[in-house]
Amino acid sequence: MNKALKLQFAIAMVGLLFVGCGSSEKKQEKKPATVSVVEIKQENVPFNIKYTGITEAYQFTQLRARVDGYLLGQEYKDGAVVKQGARLVQIDPAPYKVAVDNATAKLQSAQAAFLIAKQNFDRISPLYEKKAATKQDYDTAVATLDTSKAEVTAASANLEQARLNLSYCDITTPFDAVADKIYQYKGSYVSPSKDSLLTTVYQINPIRVNFEISEADYEAITTNAGSVNILGRPVKILFSTGKEYEKTGKIDFVSPAINEKTGTRTMRVVVENPNGKLTPGQYLGMIFTDINLNGVTLVPQESILQGEHGYMVYKVTSPTTAVQQQVTPSRWIGDRVIIKDGIKVGDKIVKSGIEKIGVDGKIVVAH
């Protein structure tokens, strides 16, 4: 776009040089350039800037072995959709079932010992109060009761740990997801300390899309949205082919900090993905759908020249004269440009025929 503007400027400059160069012959007076003119007005235009986003899973987790043992097998197909709680892999539970049985037996034994200790204490205590039992007998009964009570607590904890270890033999998914390939195969020996990663599961419905936005655009969006809180704002999503995705996303995160290296801040969109058309790592286009830029000054792109000292337009100062006016463009909106400085509402500028204007700026406005 800038190359086109530069070429247009160069053509205009060549025309000016031809006019400016004298000769020994009598100079012929150049005819005024026939141009079209447009009057500057403030307008409201959709904020239809397209940003490039990258998808990521709504959440994901690595499933790892939490106990030692041999894998009995894989219970899903690589890349399959799996439901929350589904078992994907199983570690041989046999030794852990034995451990549960042993812990259960020890707990029962401890409970029996506690019952005997309690009965002995209940018998000794009233005798001691009547001085029919010695202090040593009483102290022994109390100590035995406390010890047996602690052994019941320890045995209960051991049984709970044994049951936990047994439950860890079933590797299940914590949410509806798509499962990655398996990393350890049937018969492999796995351990929490080595070769523990078994697979990874990704929740992709809904799915998230991250994109970067300049501080100028962020200011424009929040100003015209009427609030700095733009969470929930709708965003249209486009595939790389330009085709629109059938679901509309919503802003669910705006970074509170600006990246000092890029001068941008991260925004994130969440969007439904029931059919899995969107996958993590995919590039998508993002366009805000309900935000307008209000009261902006727009000029046709063809009215702008780009030269060594920046951008300029030909401003009409009388029905027959136009002068160069430096301007500061903000952004391109289709075939028009938002101008920040240099012209104001009510000004008239040359729209077409710029390349014909001479150094004298003489024009004839076509009607």
Side-chain angles (χ1 to χ4, degrees), residues 204-207 237 245 247-249 270-275 278:
I204 62 171
N205 183 32
I207 197 167
I237 296 174
Y245 179 58
K247 301 289 186 180
T248 299
V270 62
V271 61
E272 295 178 15
N273 186 32
N275 299 319
L278 307 181

Side-chain angles (χ1 to χ4, degrees), residues 1-11 301 304-307 311 332:
M1 186 182 298
N2 287 345
K3 288 183 179 179
L5 291 175
K6 288 180 179 178
L7 179 59
Q8 193 174 355
F9 178 73
I11 293 171
Q301 180 181 321
I304 299 181
L305 295 169
Q306 184 181 14
Y311 295 91
W332 272 252

